[in-house]
Amino acid sequence: GAVVSQHPSRVICKSGTSVKIECRSLDFQATTMFWYRQFPKKSLMLMATSNEGSKATYEQGVEKDKFLINHASLTLSTLTVTSAHPEDSSFYICSASSGRVGYNEQFFGPGTRLTVL
Amino acid sequence: EDKVVQSPLSLVVHEGDTVTLNCSYEVTNFRSLLWYKQEKKAPTFLFMLTSSGIEKKSGRLSSILDKKELFSILNITATQTGDSAVYLCAVEADSGGSNYKLTFGKGTLLTVNP
């Protein structure tokens, strides 16, 4: 099956710093990538959808200046949490889709646990 | 706003029991309903359902969709301790242009005791 990786798997940072999370599709080209966050014992909440080469579409309530998304190639999307604060601590998961007609399955990465001190 | 509601939120059973997990939804531009199993990390895909009344099976797991009543169930027979996980239901809907998105329910935490 299709494999999606995320790096780093875990990051601890100080309040006010920026953190970049990478999401890569390893064996397929991902025309669309999705970024989710998940708080403890809560479900996944879609933050934004990004198509390669265009600006990301953010969900209501997600600050685009705080969560910068770049989808520069068909195998890589990055999420940068700028000026991180403790309330940004969460589990961030990306997913990728090849977008082939009739086949929209999203393949999830293993997630990144962000802790902001 | 699209909505996905799962019930129960948690469930504790003994090995060998059969469980039924429920998922109801209200979405605009429905495309499919998906079930995932989440243990410690990212969700792993179980089923994708697009048509009403057609049961999908994989081993001891099965699922069916009712597009008229807007719900789906996930059945697990002869449960094992390895089935302990959060089961997530998600609905895929068109979000405009060529985009689509998944809306997840809060999940059902299943605990299977030996």
Side-chain angles (χ1 to χ4, degrees):
Chain A
V3 179
V4 175
S5 70
Q6 272 184 250
H7 178 79
S9 59
R10 187 181 294 265
V11 58
I12 301 172
C13 69
K14 290 183 180 177
S15 192
T17 60
S18 293
V19 174
K20 182 187 281 190
I21 303 169
E22 292 186 350
C23 176
R24 291 182 186 273
S25 57
L26 298 185
D27 50 3
F28 68 102
Q29 293 189 324
T31 54
T32 308
M33 286 186 168
F34 305 83
W35 286 96
Y36 297 85
R37 65 188 297 184
Q38 186 176 35
F39 291 106
K41 299 190 179 175
K42 299 283 184 187
S43 191
L44 280 78
M45 298 294 295
L46 179 66
M47 298 173 67
T49 302
S50 74
N51 290 304
E52 184 264 339
S54 59
K55 287 184 181 178
T57 302
Y58 289 80
E59 293 300 299
Q60 199 170 9
V62 178
E63 299 174 59
K64 57 182 72 174
D65 294 330
K66 181 163 184 65
F67 297 100
L68 301 178
I69 291 170
N70 186 292
H71 190 167
S73 78
L74 285 171
T75 58
L76 173 64
S77 176
T78 59
L79 167 68
T80 301
V81 183
T82 61
S83 187
H85 287 101
E87 57 265 30
D88 298 325
S89 298
S90 188
F91 191 52
Y92 292 86
I93 304 177
C94 74
S95 70
S97 169
S98 65
R100 284 181 287 157
V101 173
Y103 185 71
N104 297 320
E105 185 177 349
Q106 291 184 28
F107 299 95
F108 286 86
T112 297
R113 173 89 45 206
L114 170 63
T115 303
V116 184
L117 302 175
Chain B
E1 188 179 319
D2 295 344
K3 197 189 301 186
V4 178
V5 178
Q6 290 186 247
S7 65
L9 290 181
S10 67
L11 189 56
V12 181
V13 300
H14 290 291
E15 266 193 315
D17 289 351
T18 293
V19 297
T20 298
L21 310 183
N22 303 294
C23 176
S24 64
Y25 61 92
E26 291 176 32
V27 298
T28 307
N29 300 321
F30 173 91
R31 290 179 71 161
S32 66
L33 184 144
L34 301 100
W35 285 96
Y36 293 87
K37 178 181 182 182
Q38 186 177 27
E39 295 172 271
K40 300 225 165 144
K41 292 198 172 178
T44 52
F45 173 80
L46 295 175
F47 296 111
M48 176 190 272
L49 303 156
T50 55
S51 301
S52 278
I54 299 174
E55 185 183 51
K56 293 223 172 173
K57 274 183 79 82
S58 176
R60 295 175 295 103
L61 278 66
S62 64
S63 183
I64 197 161
L65 172 67
D66 185 328
K67 289 168 74 174
K68 185 178 174 192
E69 300 297 328
L70 308 182
F71 79 90
S72 173
I73 59 172
L74 174 69
N75 278 324
I76 309 175
T77 59
T79 52
Q80 302 171 357
T81 55
D83 295 328
S84 297
V86 174
Y87 289 84
L88 295 169
C89 171
V91 174
E92 179 187 37
D94 282 324
S95 59
S98 59
N99 283 333
Y100 59 94
K101 67 176 188 179
L102 291 181
T103 301
F104 282 84
K106 291 186 177 177
T108 294
L109 173 60
L110 174 65
T111 303
V112 181
N113 289 324

